[in-house]
Amino acid sequence: MTTRRTLLAAGAATAVATAVATAVAAPAVAATAPLDAATLVGADPIAHLVRRATFGPTQESLAEARKLGAAAWLDRQLDPAKIADPVCDELMTRLPLAGMSIAGVRGKIAKNSYDGFKQLGRAAVARAAWSNRQLFETTVAFFANHLHVAAPSSQTWDSRCDYDAQVIRKHAFGRFADMLKASMKHPAMLTYLDNRSSTKSHPNENYARELMELHTVGLIYSEADVAAGARLLTGLTVDKTNGTYLYDPKAHVTGAVSILGFKHANATAAVGEAAALAFADHLAKHPATAQRLATKLCQRFVADVAPASLVTKLAKVYLDNDTAIKPVLKALFTSPEFAAAIGQKTRTPLEDLTATIRTLGLGPEKSGQQLLDALYNGLVNAGNAPFRWAPPNGYPDVAAAWASPSGFLMRCNNHLNLAAGWYPSWFTRPADLLKSLVPTLPGTYGALVDALAVRLIGAKLPAQHTAAVLSVAGKLPTSPLTASDKSLAGHAPYLIALVLDAPSFQVR
Amino acid sequence: MITIFDCGETTLSRRGLLGAATLAGLAGAGVSTQLAYAAPGYTGDTLVVLSLHGGFDGLSALAPIGDPDYYKARPNIGVPKAQVIAGDGTFGLHPALAPLLPLWKSGQLAGVHAVGQSNPTRSHFAAMEAMENAAPGTSIRSGWLERMLGASGATGALAGVSVGHAMPNRLFAGPTPSVSMSSVDKFTLAGESAKRPMAAALRTMYADAPVLQSAPALAADSALTATTAVRGTTYTPAATYPATELGNALKDVARLIKAKVGLATAAVDCGDWDMHEGLGTAVKGQRMHDNLTDLAQALAAFAADLGPEGMKSVTLLTISEFGRRVQENGSRGADHGHGNAMLLLGGGVKGGKVYAKWPGLAPGKLVAGDLAATTDYRSVIGEILQKRCGFGSLSQVFPSVAPSTFGLVSAR
């Protein structure tokens, strides 16, 4: 059988040559080796830091980081209480359920209503796009994904918002051991992973397995560990009357356990809860957990293939600091491995959307939440709406997991929709977007695209990409540009969109 | 549960870039787009792979009603003998599969039981990765459907498609270009016109981009040409699909098959089978019952839409990362297990029966509490690849796996 691969390989050289020879409006397809990701975004270390530590640089955040310097900007971001956040604070008043307690939610909405999930998801989009506490928000997103409880998910209509506030946001800049124990005592987690219905006679294994595999040590457990863990976790459940956490000693299986180096007599039902929490502490401080968290943090903030040297370093910082998260982040962002990883991450659909909003300088709607609805729903279609991943492992964080044709088209369509102001239409927009991005028009179309790229991405596009952008306007880089050029307004949204479509903007 | 991906590396190589660029180049150079996406090169069945993520409970779908240990292990969630709607006394069809009963009776639907992986794990994520990779113990890191596509000889831009999600399907991970789309109708590029050739500009910008960015961009470009042609004619299905994700996805698969775009294989995810809690009894409102109803309605519509003539060249099969524990738990559910069942649907299927080397459910026959897997799922697929998809050797798809000898399908 002739394989598809050989057919394609044989045709490739011819096809490239033909395209070069027949190119008319569009410039020639280059037959050179792929461009290096680092060359697409430029070498500026400050811009690199801001691209990674935020949901996308804004003009203001870049200017601030340049003024303060990397170390001082990082310190400031690590102390979010001192950063004013008026735009986001106001937006949150429109989403009162996000962050509300279980009793509060129960008092506001009907049983099994999706309103809590809805406000929570929109709050995450709003914070990503417009919070000034960007490193806090990216860290929150990381840990929400790590100790993932899907929203929507069944029977968590009343508890999922509280979980976000009291487990993830409360501890994101605190200690991981505290966050893990808080999750273990939270109805949302106990519901999502079925521990609430685990019984003495037939323990439900779901939570015990994922607690080890996903939340802490990884795939180093045995099936006996799962069974023992499931027994140890019995009794951690949810109060049927008010939906809050409850330890029910009558449901707890007593008896000594030995799991991954953790030993406990677990002699009476009265000590069951303490034993379970001690197990969580043991897991949080396990070297394998340190290694796994360090790896995942590197995948989030440094590169898809975590640098081994940095993983080792961060795991040590994590253990030396009693699982405190801030010192790990500081070590990460100031490491030579981080500095060397320019261009090594690709934006997820959420990041592409927030980076577009932030770099274009689009503001939230004046009132209501039609805009947030539209942004959230667009992310549902892209498969990347906050908290929406169904299984408990959280969204993948490597480029290959998002590298799809459909996803590519959605990004491009989004760029044009936002640049043109077509949809969503509720943003607060500059009166003249092009003018706000490039206040002084240069003399040629090529220089205009250069200026757009520097403003939107932080670096000029490669020359052949600039020419490609201009091809949709029927212009060459040398085509003269004057303020009286009547075609400019019509071309502008397409030029802006294509700059955002460029490979340079996909790189984080 | 929806598509699962974890942090494993997906190999996208320069070869993938060139492959996608070739198609883009052909279209751009004015070669007939018909030629570019409907070129012959594969003449086997369209293989539709339905991934039942989360751990499908084969012991409910095809209940072993003749095995007394089944009811001992599952006093609350076992499917009662009196409720199965077809079968042979050993196995019975779950009542929620009623929409598929005509296909069962006409012999287009079969089951295979006690199927599993050669190196079982009860981790969803490890098991799924292994199932999609299907080459344990080797250094191969691609998806098995990608390898099937690569070796098939199919040349079109829409030869391998996953439908229903914007994210790539890991079954297609690897260098052979494939297309993921949430739907045929949504697979469009905004702003594209003769006056403003956006696609051409993108093609140029991605020709020399790093492969992680360029591969999806260039695959999208060539697939756009093909899907634009498909959308040129309105599609009126010959059956009513349920308004579910699965129904919509299978409708698009049927649409692509009928449009003769050269679809060699399609992958569709159908999730939410992880039932530790509330798997329930075989009545409406219980999770397994309702999920099976959704599955059966969508499959029945798919078969009706294609019709007997269309189904002659289609084989659909289901896979799942593992089955569930034989013993029910305290939550009217079942925890992660091993041995499982597969469903086969197609014109070439020798259906109306369940194929199995049944190991039995007596405590002594179980493996760590699980139904033993006596048949490797890859050997089931291997038999289909050989008899329906024109593969001589399986070595490029499933190294060192022999096809099953059940006689599940007739040779084309």
Side-chain angles (χ1 to χ4, degrees):
Chain A
M1 184 181 295
T2 310
T3 76
R4 186 160 185 253
R5 284 178 194 167
T6 49
L7 276 176
L8 290 174
T14 321
V16 171
T18 313
V20 171
T22 56
V24 186
V29 173
T32 52
L35 294 163
D36 176 37
T39 63
L40 292 175
V41 284
D44 180 357
I46 296 268
H48 171 53
L49 172 63
V50 177
R51 271 197 308 273
R52 295 298 180 82
T54 71
F55 281 98
T58 57
Q59 242 188 332
E60 297 75 24
S61 61
L62 271 175
E64 187 197 46
R66 291 210 167 98
K67 195 176 122 205
L68 296 175
W73 184 80
L74 194 57
D75 283 341
R76 184 173 147 76
Q77 285 290 320
L78 285 168
D79 194 3
K82 290 204 182 127
I83 302 173
D85 210 8
V87 173
C88 229
D89 291 345
E90 192 280 322
L91 282 171
M92 290 309 128
T93 64
R94 303 182 208 174
L95 303 163
L97 296 174
M100 198 178 268
S101 69
I102 292 169
V105 171
R106 285 185 159 221
K108 287 274 179 205
I109 59 176
K111 188 176 179 184
N112 295 325
S113 162
Y114 270 41
D115 289 353
F117 300 132
K118 281 185 185 169
Q119 292 196 13
L120 186 68
R122 282 146 185 79
V125 175
R127 284 163 165 150
W130 292 297
S131 175
N132 294 330
R133 300 161 184 162
Q134 283 279 306
L135 181 56
F136 178 68
E137 294 301 339
T138 54
T139 306
V140 162
F142 172 85
F143 282 105
N145 202 51
H146 180 72
L147 294 179
H148 178 59
V149 173
S153 60
S154 64
Q155 293 183 282
T156 61
W157 66 278
D158 56 347
S159 61
R160 184 60 185 80
C161 291
D162 187 76
Y163 178 82
D164 192 62
Q166 298 304 322
V167 176
I168 306 297
R169 299 183 71 80
K170 184 174 175 182
H171 297 289
F173 273 177
R175 292 170 67 246
F176 180 70
D178 293 334
M179 193 191 299
L180 185 68
K181 283 182 283 186
S183 73
M184 181 178 271
K185 289 176 71 176
H186 203 283
M189 180 62 83
L190 296 172
T191 300
Y192 178 55
L193 293 180
D194 303 317
N195 209 71
R196 70 186 282 167
S197 65
S198 188
T199 66
K200 206 170 182 172
S201 55
H202 294 302
N204 189 311
E205 294 180 354
N206 202 17
Y207 182 42
R209 181 184 304 278
E210 306 306 10
L211 174 66
M212 291 185 278
E213 180 172 340
L214 300 179
H215 300 172
T216 59
V217 295
L219 259 177
I220 62 167
Y221 61 78
S222 68
E223 288 304 316
D225 291 331
V226 173
R231 287 196 301 274
L232 184 61
L233 293 170
T234 48
L236 278 66
T237 187
V238 181
D239 188 321
K240 287 199 176 88
T241 57
N242 62 17
T244 61
Y245 166 74
L246 170 79
Y247 174 66
D248 177 6
K250 293 191 297 297
H252 184 71
V253 183
T254 54
V257 289
S258 173
I259 312 164
L260 296 168
F262 173 76
K263 290 189 193 324
H264 200 289
N266 186 32
T268 67
V271 302
E273 183 188 42
L277 292 170
F279 178 46
D281 250 327
H282 174 85
L283 290 174
K285 293 172 187 171
H286 198 289
T289 302
Q291 190 81 8
R292 239 186 108 244
L293 275 176
T295 303
K296 284 186 77 174
L297 282 166
C298 284
Q299 275 186 340
R300 173 87 292 254
F301 292 113
V302 183
D304 287 1
V305 179
S309 55
L310 185 55
V311 169
T312 305
K313 211 178 320 180
L314 297 184
K316 184 171 183 326
V317 173
Y318 171 86
L319 293 173
D320 287 349
N321 287 277
D322 196 20
T323 81
I325 292 158
K326 274 197 210 182
V328 179
L329 290 173
K330 193 157 178 175
L332 184 154
F333 285 114
T334 54
S335 68
E337 291 89 344
F338 173 75
I342 289 183
Q344 297 303 307
K345 286 294 293 181
T346 303
R347 286 185 167 129
T348 62
L350 170 69
E351 287 162 353
D352 191 273
L353 174 68
T354 54
T356 301
I357 292 169
R358 290 169 64 77
T359 198
L360 289 177
L362 304 179
E365 61 208 320
K366 297 282 186 214
S367 62
Q369 47 184 295
Q370 276 175 292
L371 173 62
L372 290 174
D373 286 347
L375 296 176
Y376 180 85
N377 290 331
L379 288 168
V380 172
N381 289 334
N384 197 201
F387 318 123
R388 188 103 179 177
W389 183 255
N393 60 341
Y395 282 113
D397 201 9
V398 292
W402 298 100
S404 84
S406 197
F408 175 76
L409 292 178
M410 284 187 196
R411 282 171 202 238
C412 296
N413 296 348
N414 224 12
H415 296 153
L416 183 57
N417 275 318
L418 295 189
W422 292 335
Y423 187 84
S425 59
W426 302 281
F427 285 107
T428 305
R429 298 173 64 84
D432 181 333
L433 185 61
L434 182 64
K435 206 165 183 177
S436 79
L437 299 172
V438 184
T440 309
L441 283 186
T444 64
Y445 269 90
L448 174 68
V449 172
D450 285 348
L452 276 174
V454 169
R455 171 66 180 76
L456 294 171
I457 297 172
K460 287 182 189 176
L461 300 183
Q464 65 271 29
H465 295 188
T466 303
V469 169
L470 285 170
S471 67
V472 295
K475 304 287 183 187
L476 296 170
T478 52
S479 300
L481 176 64
T482 61
S484 61
D485 187 334
K486 289 207 170 64
S487 67
L488 181 60
H491 293 320
Y494 297 89
L495 299 182
I496 295 168
L498 277 166
V499 168
L500 297 172
D501 291 348
S504 304
F505 187 71
Q506 287 209 23
V507 174
R508 174 159 72 91
Chain B
M1 192 165 291
I2 60 169
T3 326
I4 315 295
F5 302 91
D6 78 351
C7 303
E9 281 176 72
T10 302
T11 42
L12 281 168
S13 68
R14 183 72 186 159
R15 188 158 50 161
L17 166 70
L18 288 175
T22 305
L23 300 168
L26 285 173
V31 176
S32 158
T33 53
Q34 190 66 27
L35 179 68
Y37 71 80
Y42 174 70
T43 53
D45 273 11
T46 298
L47 182 68
V48 183
V49 178
L50 203 56
S51 294
L52 307 178
H53 283 308
F56 182 68
D57 186 30
L59 292 171
S60 289
L62 301 173
I65 54 172
D67 194 322
D69 290 299
Y70 174 64
Y71 294 105
K72 281 183 202 156
R74 294 185 165 200
N76 295 299
I77 64 168
V79 179
K81 205 174 277 190
Q83 273 177 260
V84 301
I85 52 171
D88 55 10
T90 303
F91 300 104
L93 233 54
H94 192 287
L97 295 175
L100 294 173
L101 195 54
L103 292 163
W104 180 268
K105 286 181 174 161
S106 68
Q108 290 187 76
L109 176 70
V112 192
H113 225 316
V115 172
Q117 303 200 46
S118 56
N119 54 342
T121 154
R122 289 201 187 94
S123 154
H124 285 295
F125 314 104
M128 256 174 247
E129 198 170 336
M131 183 186 71
E132 288 157 343
N133 166 244
T138 74
S139 60
I140 295 169
R141 290 292 169 267
S142 56
W144 70 261
L145 211 47
E146 185 269 350
R147 302 195 295 272
M148 178 269 180
L149 184 61
S152 72
T155 55
L158 297 178
V161 177
S162 67
V163 188
H165 290 292
M167 292 179 75
N169 193 310
R170 268 206 333 213
L171 285 167
F172 281 122
T176 306
S178 62
V179 172
S180 60
M181 58 174 72
S182 51
S183 75
V184 171
D185 283 332
K186 285 184 183 164
F187 197 82
T188 56
L189 178 63
E192 171 70 3
S193 69
K195 189 179 156 213
R196 295 189 197 279
M198 303 278 283
L202 291 172
R203 202 144 58 225
T204 303
M205 288 205 286
Y206 281 88
D208 60 357
V211 71
L212 267 173
Q213 278 92 41
S214 67
L218 297 174
D221 182 59
S222 49
L224 265 177
T225 309
T227 48
T228 303
V230 171
R231 281 189 301 272
T233 51
T234 49
Y235 185 58
T236 313
T240 306
Y241 287 85
T244 58
E245 276 183 36
L246 179 62
N248 291 334
L250 287 178
K251 180 162 46 174
D252 268 346
V253 173
R255 183 178 184 177
L256 293 173
I257 291 171
K258 285 174 152 181
K260 299 196 190 318
V261 298
L263 184 70
T265 178
V268 174
D269 285 335
C270 170
D272 198 22
W273 298 95
D274 191 17
M275 300 181 189
H276 293 273
E277 199 178 65
L279 183 152
T281 51
V283 296
K284 204 175 163 191
Q286 302 289 305
R287 286 186 71 197
M288 191 67 190
H289 181 281
D290 291 359
N291 274 24
L292 284 175
T293 301
D294 289 348
L295 174 66
Q297 285 176 344
L299 290 179
F302 177 72
D305 186 10
L306 287 170
E309 199 52 38
M311 284 297 281
K312 277 185 186 166
S313 304
V314 173
T315 300
L316 178 148
L317 60 89
T318 68
I319 50 178
S320 186
E321 70 264 34
F322 45 60
R324 307 203 75 82
R325 190 80 50 83
V326 174
Q327 176 84 44
E328 67 185 37
N329 65 19
S331 318
R332 297 174 81 80
D335 293 320
H336 300 179
H338 181 209
N340 205 352
M342 295 170 73
L343 299 174
L344 309 179
L345 174 67
V349 171
K350 294 199 247 175
K353 63 180 286 192
V354 176
Y355 298 85
K357 292 175 215 153
W358 188 245
L361 297 177
K365 302 286 186 185
L366 301 183
V367 178
D370 297 337
L371 168 64
T374 52
T375 298
D376 186 326
Y377 77 110
R378 295 173 300 168
S379 72
V380 173
I381 301 168
E383 191 184 339
I384 292 165
L385 289 180
Q386 286 201 332
K387 292 184 180 162
R388 303 300 306 174
C389 303
F391 282 66
S393 160
L394 297 180
S395 62
Q396 288 188 72
V397 186
F398 301 127
S400 317
V401 173
S404 68
T405 53
F406 283 124
L408 305 163
V409 290
S410 57
R412 251 175 95 101

